[in-house]
Amino acid sequence: MNKITVQPTALGSLIKILHITDPTLPIGGFSHSNGLETYVQQNLVKNASSTQDFVESMLKNNYKFNDGLAVKLAYDFTLKKNLNEILKLDNECNALKAPLEIREGSQKLGIRLIKIYAALLDDPFLNEINKRIEQKKMQGHYSVIFGIVTSILKIDAEKAVCAFLYNAAVGMVTNAVKLVPLGQTDGQHIIHNVEGLIETLTLEILELNRDMLGVCNTALDIKCMQHEYLYSRLYMS
Amino acid sequence: MEKYSLKTGLREQTILKDVYFTPPFNLVEVRENKKNPLLEMMVMSSSPGILNDDFYDINIEVIDGSSLNLQTQSYQRIYISEKGTNQHMNISVGVNAYFSHVPHPVVPHKGARYTAKNTIHIKNSSTLLWAEILTCGRKHMGEGELFQFKKHHAITEIIQEEVLIFKDNLYIVPEEINLKEFGQYEEFTHQGSLFFITPETDVIERMENIAQRLSKEEGISYGISKVLDNAYVLRILGNEGEQLYKLFTQIRKEEDYLINQRLRLN
């Protein structure tokens, strides 16, 4: 393998954010709809307007209290090199994700993400986490690994959380464009329209109490569970 | 602080070993068939519901090899409160022990604030059936009191041999959250969750039976999914507390029946 040509300097963290949130990062994010496919099949998400409603509600009711907060917590525990708290958090994420496909999807993405970054960074803490996953002592949920990696990469906490939410929004919109279907411009309008919301939620997540981790979205959980029984499926969740 | 605690004992059937309660509680045995191995207890209360500043402290110990079903007497009303009402419930279910609990729906009145923490410790060989139902309030009173409560925050943790295997964090603050939004309550007003774990190798047959039965039910949306090979979670949204309570109670009665059968054979 070739070596690094030039070490990134001032723009370093921007490049690193762009890299970890790049949709072409081969972790398999786009094979998961996280419940959206059920909503589309049941004709509840059916046009640009209902897609935006869906994306907004997912961001502020689901991502904020679940994966978004988990990113922030994992980020902080990594700064303190607190492996025990990371293990506890990862297990808590597992216990909070009741729908099977959501739980397994989050594990698959997390494991692929850590495989990539363990190879790129060769960081002792990350290697330790990777070892626990290989030994099946940890599940390796996507949000937790994302928080760990962005912390090791010295990306600012708020930028890491913001990038995670943005990536989630892009993922939902990309899936909606294919599933609903929507025009490409409609999709871009939605991303543009939720940019402010993503910033607001980022700041709220940084202030959230640990007690709020995993607030249940009952109807979403039900739709994600119903996905297991859909007659035809394009997505794994 | 309002308290009750109970501990099972074991002879040829499960018996009530220790019981303690303060007003407004009373615990009575309601085992219909006196020969059944499963101990059935009912919590009764002389209070109309959880009132301002109430702090319910509940401790239940189901010892190794014993089996307990705990029932409630009526809907749990939560009254208006400024400081908020609390409930702490600690349960431990021993080796080869059984515990089932499907309480009546919780009805938070206008202005109610409620925080609950339920912690359930189980062993690899324990069987647990646990359910909760939350209504929107006194829907049928006057012009309807829908989601007029201030806050409902209930955290349930199920810990198997020191490992957290299921956590439910139910946080409903109607002023903050538009419950009609995607992923929340959508077109419904009531929600229920039921968790079940057995030492048997899988729960697929049970899940299929439940899904088949629920598919014939009107006015609900439901999902059932495996949490572990031997555990499932069932979530339902609906518009009537009684309907959800009946559906959950039926599942509970089937498991109670199975445990009675199994213990009789042993």
Side-chain angles (χ1 to χ4, degrees):
Chain A
M1 192 64 79
N2 294 349
K3 298 257 188 294
I4 294 176
T5 338
V6 180
Q7 281 291 349
T9 51
L11 287 173
S13 82
L14 173 61
I15 296 244
K16 289 179 193 317
I17 296 169
L18 293 171
H19 187 189
I20 199 168
T21 51
D22 190 330
T24 62
L25 197 71
I27 57 169
F30 292 119
S31 53
H32 295 272
S33 89
N34 295 310
L36 177 63
E37 190 167 26
T38 314
Y39 276 98
V40 173
Q41 282 203 16
Q42 295 180 357
N43 205 29
L44 296 164
V45 174
K46 55 192 172 195
N47 49 32
S49 160
S50 50
T51 301
Q52 185 171 329
D53 290 345
F54 178 84
V55 172
E56 284 180 0
S57 181
M58 289 302 114
L59 288 171
K60 64 184 187 194
N61 298 316
N62 177 26
Y63 283 97
K64 176 180 171 184
F65 300 109
N66 285 279
D67 287 357
L69 179 54
V71 168
K72 192 252 173 191
L73 292 170
Y75 182 101
D76 288 348
F77 296 145
T78 305
L79 283 185
K80 295 174 192 145
K81 297 281 176 273
N82 193 334
L83 184 62
N84 272 341
E85 284 294 335
I86 295 266
L87 294 172
K88 226 172 99 185
L89 173 67
D90 186 61
N91 186 57
E92 198 173 340
C93 286
N94 207 59
L96 282 162
K97 293 182 190 297
L100 175 77
E101 294 179 346
I102 298 303
R103 196 168 59 248
E104 290 187 348
S106 169
Q107 292 165 3
K108 278 182 191 152
L109 262 59
I111 289 171
R112 287 186 197 140
L113 186 65
I114 198 168
K115 288 272 172 282
I116 294 171
Y117 278 93
L120 297 182
L121 301 179
D122 194 25
D123 176 88
F125 191 71
L126 197 60
N127 291 343
E128 190 62 34
I129 301 281
N130 198 22
K131 198 173 88 191
R132 301 289 163 132
I133 294 172
E134 284 171 359
Q135 291 168 343
K136 309 240 180 271
K137 287 179 181 159
M138 178 176 169
Q139 308 285 348
H141 280 279
Y142 177 55
S143 53
V144 175
I145 304 298
F146 191 99
I148 296 170
V149 171
T150 47
S151 184
I152 290 171
L153 290 172
K154 298 190 168 51
I155 293 169
D156 296 340
E158 62 179 47
K159 287 179 183 158
V161 172
C162 187
F164 184 86
L165 295 179
Y166 173 77
N167 189 253
V170 171
M172 286 186 277
V173 168
T174 308
N175 288 337
V177 166
K178 281 189 223 158
L179 274 171
V180 174
L182 301 177
Q184 291 293 352
T185 320
D186 288 334
Q188 294 314 305
H189 266 294
I190 295 170
I191 293 173
H192 177 75
N193 290 348
V194 300
E195 281 171 2
L197 177 66
I198 288 175
E199 280 192 6
T200 307
L201 293 174
T202 299
L203 299 176
E204 287 174 9
I205 288 170
L206 296 177
E207 301 298 319
L208 268 185
N209 193 319
R210 172 83 197 249
D211 258 17
M212 299 303 287
L213 181 68
V215 165
C216 180
N217 289 232
T218 308
L220 174 65
D221 260 20
I222 289 174
K223 299 294 185 212
C224 291
M225 291 173 176
Q226 288 173 350
H227 189 266
E228 296 173 35
Y229 299 89
L230 289 187
Y231 180 68
S232 71
R233 300 140 37 104
L234 295 171
Y235 290 83
M236 292 169 78
S237 66
Chain B
M1 194 178 275
E2 297 73 26
K3 290 183 178 189
Y4 72 83
S5 62
L6 77 87
K7 183 178 176 179
T8 59
L10 193 61
R11 289 191 190 148
E12 33 321 329
Q13 57 177 184
T14 299
I15 56 155
L16 185 60
K17 178 80 163 54
D18 294 316
V19 63
Y20 170 82
F21 48 83
T22 63
F25 295 118
N26 188 11
L27 284 165
V28 288
E29 187 173 332
V30 290
R31 179 157 39 194
E32 277 180 38
N33 181 343
K34 297 295 171 213
K35 288 177 185 160
N36 275 350
L38 174 73
L39 173 64
E40 292 168 75
M41 297 292 301
M42 184 179 278
V43 195
M44 302 173 92
S45 174
S46 57
S47 166
I50 307 188
L51 305 168
N52 199 11
D53 295 348
D54 274 359
F55 195 119
Y56 284 8
D57 179 29
I58 302 161
N59 288 284
I60 292 161
E61 190 181 345
V62 187
I63 65 156
D64 294 355
S66 70
S67 49
L68 171 70
N69 163 243
L70 181 66
Q71 300 171 21
T72 51
Q73 192 186 12
S74 60
Y75 281 54
Q76 172 86 284
R77 297 180 177 283
I78 303 172
Y79 284 82
I80 181 166
S81 57
E82 278 303 317
K83 290 183 186 166
T85 53
N86 281 283
Q87 174 169 305
H88 274 193
M89 196 163 181
N90 284 302
I91 299 164
S92 74
V93 188
V95 173
N96 292 318
Y98 174 96
F99 179 64
S100 66
H101 184 50
V102 176
H104 280 81
V106 173
V107 185
H109 288 198
K110 183 177 180 176
R113 289 172 217 267
Y114 176 73
T115 312
K117 182 84 197 270
N118 305 304
T119 310
I120 308 164
H121 286 272
I122 64 172
K123 301 291 180 187
N124 286 333
S125 57
S126 312
T127 306
L128 171 71
L129 188 149
W130 170 267
E132 284 176 286
I133 299 166
L134 176 66
T135 75
C136 58
R138 290 175 293 180
K139 194 179 182 176
H140 299 294
M141 190 199 69
E143 290 173 5
E145 193 180 272
L146 275 79
F147 297 112
Q148 300 285 303
F149 59 90
K150 286 286 179 194
K151 178 180 173 181
H152 185 95
H153 194 179
I155 295 180
T156 300
E157 292 184 330
I158 298 173
I159 298 151
Q160 185 182 44
E161 312 273 0
E162 310 308 319
V163 178
L164 181 70
I165 56 166
F166 176 68
K167 179 170 176 177
D168 219 2
N169 191 344
L170 189 56
Y171 176 82
I172 315 268
V173 178
E175 282 172 8
E176 283 177 16
I177 304 165
N178 178 358
L179 293 163
K180 295 208 177 302
E181 285 179 344
F182 283 121
Q184 299 299 298
Y185 274 67
E186 297 176 356
E187 74 265 41
F188 300 100
T189 53
H190 290 53
Q191 70 155 300
S193 295
L194 184 149
F195 173 92
F196 177 76
I197 187 165
T198 164
E200 290 165 38
T201 46
D202 85 64
V203 284
I204 289 187
E205 207 180 310
R206 283 178 165 95
M207 288 169 66
E208 282 171 356
N209 287 338
I210 291 166
Q212 201 180 16
R213 193 180 325 155
L214 294 183
S215 66
K216 295 177 191 131
E217 202 69 28
E218 284 184 15
I220 59 163
S221 175
Y222 69 92
I224 186 165
S225 192
K226 263 190 187 185
V227 174
L228 294 164
D229 282 340
N230 59 341
Y232 68 76
V233 168
L234 167 65
R235 292 203 195 275
I236 309 187
L237 281 164
N239 292 306
E240 296 296 332
E242 200 60 22
Q243 184 185 22
L244 301 195
Y245 180 66
K246 273 186 185 157
L247 291 168
F248 282 179
T249 300
Q250 188 180 355
I251 298 169
R252 191 268 294 170
K253 283 184 173 167
E254 286 166 1
E255 294 300 339
D256 286 354
Y257 175 81
L258 286 175
I259 198 75
N260 270 324
Q261 294 293 101
R262 206 184 77 206
L263 293 171
R264 274 214 195 88
L265 288 174
N266 287 346

Coordinates of all heavy atoms in Angstrom, one line a residue, chain B residues 198-204 206 226 228-231:
Chain B
T198 N -38.4 -16.3 27.7 CA -38.6 -17.7 28.2 C -37.2 -18.4 28.1 O -36.4 -18.1 27.2 CB -39.7 -18.4 27.4 OG1 -39.5 -19.8 27.6 CG2 -39.5 -18.2 25.9
P199 N -37.0 -19.4 29.0 CA -35.8 -20.2 28.8 C -35.8 -21.2 27.7 O -34.8 -21.8 27.3 CB -35.6 -20.9 30.2 CG -37.0 -20.8 30.8 CD -37.7 -19.7 30.2
E200 N -37.0 -21.3 27.0 CA -37.1 -22.2 25.9 C -36.3 -21.6 24.7 O -35.9 -20.5 24.8 CB -38.6 -22.2 25.4 CG -39.5 -23.0 26.4 CD -41.0 -22.7 26.1 OE1 -41.4 -22.6 24.9 OE2 -41.7 -22.6 27.1
T201 N -36.0 -22.4 23.7 CA -35.0 -22.0 22.7 C -35.5 -20.9 21.7 O -34.8 -20.2 21.3 CB -34.6 -23.2 21.9 OG1 -35.7 -24.0 21.5 CG2 -33.6 -24.1 22.6
D202 N -36.8 -20.9 21.4 CA -37.3 -19.8 20.6 C -38.7 -19.4 20.9 O -39.4 -20.1 21.6 CB -37.0 -20.0 19.1 CG -38.0 -20.9 18.4 OD1 -39.2 -20.4 18.3 OD2 -37.7 -22.0 18.0
V203 N -39.1 -18.3 20.3 CA -40.4 -17.7 20.5 C -41.2 -17.5 19.2 O -42.2 -16.8 19.2 CB -40.3 -16.4 21.3 CG1 -40.0 -16.6 22.7 CG2 -39.4 -15.4 20.6
I204 N -40.7 -18.2 18.1 CA -41.3 -17.9 16.8 C -42.8 -18.3 16.8 O -43.7 -17.6 16.3 CB -40.5 -18.7 15.7 CG1 -39.2 -18.0 15.5 CG2 -41.3 -18.7 14.4 CD1 -38.4 -18.5 14.4
R206 N -44.9 -18.6 19.2 CA -45.7 -17.6 20.0 C -46.0 -16.3 19.2 O -47.1 -15.8 19.1 CB -45.0 -17.2 21.2 CG -45.1 -18.3 22.3 CD -44.3 -17.8 23.5 NE -44.5 -18.5 24.7 CZ -43.7 -19.6 25.1 NH1 -42.7 -20.0 24.4 NH2 -44.0 -20.2 26.3
K226 N -38.3 -10.0 17.4 CA -37.4 -10.7 18.4 C -36.4 -9.8 18.9 O -35.7 -9.1 18.2 CB -36.7 -11.8 17.6 CG -37.3 -13.1 17.6 CD -36.3 -14.1 17.0 CE -36.9 -15.5 16.9 NZ -35.9 -16.4 16.4
L228 N -34.3 -11.3 21.4 CA -33.3 -12.3 21.4 C -34.0 -13.5 20.8 O -35.2 -13.5 20.6 CB -32.9 -12.7 22.9 CG -32.2 -11.6 23.7 CD1 -32.3 -11.9 25.2 CD2 -30.7 -11.5 23.3
D229 N -33.3 -14.6 20.6 CA -33.9 -15.8 20.1 C -35.1 -16.3 20.9 O -36.1 -16.8 20.4 CB -32.9 -17.0 19.9 CG -32.0 -16.8 18.7 OD1 -32.4 -16.0 17.8 OD2 -30.9 -17.4 18.7
N230 N -35.0 -16.0 22.2 CA -36.0 -16.5 23.2 C -36.8 -15.3 23.8 O -37.3 -15.5 24.9 CB -35.4 -17.4 24.3 CG -34.3 -16.6 25.0 OD1 -33.8 -15.6 24.6 ND2 -34.0 -17.1 26.2
A231 N -36.8 -14.2 23.1 CA -37.5 -13.0 23.7 C -38.1 -12.2 22.6 O -37.5 -12.0 21.5 CB -36.6 -12.2 24.5

